[in-house]
Amino acid sequence: MNSRSYWQSRLARKGLILILLIGCLPTLTLAKPIEQAARPKVSTPSVVAGGEGSQDLPSLAGNTLAYTECLTPGGLCSLRMMDMQTRQSYVVSSSVPQFAYRSDRRTDGATVVWADGRKMVDPDSFSVTQNVDVYGASLSDNSEFPISTAPNAQREAAVYGNVVVWTDYRRATKPEDYAAADIYMYNLSTGKESPVSTATSEQSGPATNGSVVVWLDRRRAPDPVTSNAADIYGYDIATGKEFAISTSAGGKSNPSISGSLVVWVEYPGGPKHDIYVYDLTTKQKSLVTTAPSAFEIGISGKIVVWEQIDVEEPFAPPEIYGYDLGTKQKVPIATGNDSRRSSPAISGSQVLWVGNPSFQGGRDDIMGATISGIPIEPTGSPVPKPAPGSRLFPETGKMVSDRFLDYWRKNGGLPQQGYPISGEIKEVSDLDGKEYTVQYFERAVFEKHPENKAPYDVLLSQLGTFQLRQKYLNLSKAPGNDLTWGTITGTLNFPSEGIPPLSIYAIPVSGTGKPFGVKTWINQVEFTLEGVVPGTYYIAAYLEGDGGLPGMAYTKGVPCIRGEPGANCNDHALIPVTVRAGETVRDASPVDYGPAVKLPARPAGRVDNWTCRDFKETGKVACGKFLQYWLAHGGLPQQGYPISNAFTEVSDLDGKPYTVQYFERAVFELHPENAGTQYEVLLSQLGTFRYKDKYPK
């Protein structure tokens, strides 16, 4: 890319703002400098990655640097990784489009993601209908894998932990259909893709901290292509809910996120730009500072960095500035007319950017400096580099390897197991007194059992048992072990050969209250209705899907035997059954009915405890959402048997009451506020509780 095309590509993204700046120069009034006290020190800038060609788009996480290297103008470039301690670099992929946009977290130190152009027809095209995909690679073994190969272009990929996000143009219908941009997400542990925002407008520049996704949103722009109107939106991954962060008037830049802090630039009009921060915990938006003209913002911890243009000399080279949210001081990092600068990135105290002292196209280098005068080479302990077959989790700084990592990936990953909170340690089991190699995760403890063949060479500690014993010393008197409901059993027959699948209901005689139901399989003879609230019910069986005979059902009633002397087929009625807490009503068996019996209406839709299962091994019952979760998330090997029935318990984390059920290896919590999502049932962080109990600081 030559010098002219370089500036054209950059000004195309900032052109409207620069026009506004130039038009407002005569009325320019500079703000009083914020920093009056001695500002933090900045080391002398130095070249981090240079040499032949152009080095661009740095992304930094600890001592791990990702950047692109383009040896010739146009075409595809290489994605390179560098260890900042040793300055050793290597190529991950040679399929990166040269026009790839900067993303906030292209690497998190364990994984790298990028926009991949190996299937492009024209590698130098900006068209959103080009076939650009999202790829990733694990830095433990540099093994690459596709993340999204949807139609058209997928760009601006970012990663943190198990979460990958990107800007997706799969619904674009023409080369410059920028308004068709959506935000998508991919879970590395489950391998599932899902949309984050598909509003009818342009959504772009996503960033994530692993729990929240933030992006630039133009849904209120009258023309998403030419209008400067934009907002900042967020998405809570746990609840699946979207929320607005900033919808003030004017334009904004792509946001950056670190921990609970989100930063972005607002363009209210005129020669000044405002930098804002939003705290996801307190939900407070605050003005950080006012800059003459700011772009491409980043944050790490409490240090904010951005690219700034001098409004008094609009065509002077951009400079790099920072702001310390802790000391509330603005810090010049790389200034002056000696170099062209862009695309700042920060991790800890290290700041990187693209610099070009020679002002020649195709000759950019990655430059670096550190705030507070710390040398560019880290003096502390380096971030652990994953060994082959291992994965580093930067969220907790812990490594998971070999069979534990394989088990984690194949058994629910982050939602099921949580992040690792310890390394591998030797520990004597409280159950059998034997020593095992274990590793603690937020929601589980993995145990190595080399005496077993895979997949049973990794087992989970019985954390649910430990927790129930600790909270309720006498298990037989634990909440939920005194049944507050009853059970109905029966034997099925049918007025034809064979028994089809049936829906069996306990329907309140009063006509009010909740029905209870269970489905049966073909030729199933016996049925059990568990978890029935005490009361009086009719038991009716309906053909599953009506079998082409609407309204056909059968129930238990006083028989009408036609042809017998004295038979009164107009007076026979349904036989009600009464259910009592802790008791079982046996042989409440539906039989064929006479035409004079008035059937109860079939309940509409699903019932709360559509299926229940009686675990004779422990004498407990799992129903409804809890049973569904148990079946869908590993069943017996992962969760163990239920050791209590469902009951209400106040959480040790937030002090709120929840419906819970204890299993040998987990505690299920019902969260009705997440109804309709995969987070309606969550697991208590038993691994965290157990680890803190055994290894207090």
Side-chain angles (χ1 to χ4, degrees), residues 117-426:
R118 67 187 66 185
K119 296 179 182 178
M120 293 177 63
V121 176
D122 180 4
D124 201 29
S125 171
F126 282 79
S127 168
V128 298
T129 56
Q130 278 277 10
N131 196 350
V132 180
D133 302 318
V134 175
Y135 271 71
S138 171
L139 299 183
S140 61
D141 55 10
N142 298 321
S143 57
E144 70 170 37
F145 49 89
I147 292 174
S148 176
T149 57
N152 298 334
Q154 287 78 50
R155 299 173 178 166
E156 299 180 304
V159 61
Y160 196 96
N162 287 314
V163 179
V164 180
V165 293
W166 66 90
T167 303
D168 197 295
Y169 292 92
R170 65 183 64 183
R171 61 184 176 90
T173 58
K174 53 187 178 181
E176 295 184 358
D177 194 3
Y178 299 110
D182 299 320
I183 305 299
Y184 272 75
M185 175 176 67
Y186 181 87
N187 189 307
L188 291 172
S189 65
T190 64
K192 293 183 179 180
E193 175 191 283
S194 58
V196 172
S197 178
T198 56
T200 308
S201 62
E202 179 187 0
Q203 294 102 61
S204 61
T208 182
N209 63 358
S211 300
V212 171
V213 183
V214 295
W215 68 91
L216 183 71
D217 196 293
R218 297 184 183 273
R219 66 185 67 182
R220 67 178 176 88
D223 184 340
V225 177
T226 62
S227 174
N228 196 35
D231 300 317
I232 306 298
Y233 270 74
Y235 176 87
D236 188 315
I237 296 175
T239 64
K241 294 181 179 179
E242 177 184 280
F243 57 93
I245 293 176
S246 178
T247 57
S248 57
K252 298 172 183 67
S253 70
N254 293 354
S256 178
I257 186 170
S258 178
S260 64
L261 301 181
V262 182
V263 294
W264 68 95
V265 181
E266 296 199 0
Y267 315 129
K272 298 178 182 178
H273 294 174
D274 297 327
I275 296 176
Y276 280 91
V277 61
Y278 180 85
D279 192 318
L280 294 166
T281 303
T282 64
K283 297 179 172 56
Q284 295 295 314
K285 171 186 173 182
S286 306
L287 177 65
V288 174
T289 187
T290 296
S293 176
F295 307 95
E296 300 201 34
I297 195 166
I299 183 173
S300 177
K302 292 188 176 182
I303 304 296
V304 184
V305 295
W306 67 90
E307 173 189 339
Q308 179 171 302
I309 295 176
D310 187 346
V311 294
E312 292 183 336
E313 299 182 27
F315 295 102
E319 301 174 324
I320 306 299
Y321 277 83
Y323 189 91
D324 187 336
L325 295 173
T327 62
K328 302 186 184 306
Q329 294 189 79
K330 185 176 178 181
V331 185
I333 296 174
T335 61
N337 295 327
D338 60 327
S339 177
R340 185 177 66 198
R341 309 170 188 88
S342 64
S343 304
I346 181 170
S347 180
S349 61
Q350 299 184 82
V351 183
L352 304 182
W353 64 92
V354 177
N356 189 327
S358 63
F359 295 91
Q360 296 180 7
R363 293 296 301 273
D364 293 335
D365 296 329
I366 305 295
M367 307 293 294
T370 56
I371 298 177
S372 298
I374 302 173
I376 191 68
E377 292 79 16
T379 56
S381 299
V383 176
K385 187 173 181 63
S390 301
R391 177 173 176 180
L392 174 67
F393 289 79
E395 298 83 359
T396 58
K398 304 302 179 183
M399 194 92 70
V400 184
S401 304
D402 303 325
R403 281 292 294 127
F404 281 171
L405 179 60
D406 185 56
Y407 187 94
W408 188 90
R409 286 172 170 166
K410 293 180 178 178
N411 291 273
L414 183 61
Q416 182 70 38
Q417 315 295 352
Y419 290 115
I421 56 176
S422 81
E424 291 189 10
I425 56 178
K426 296 286 187 179

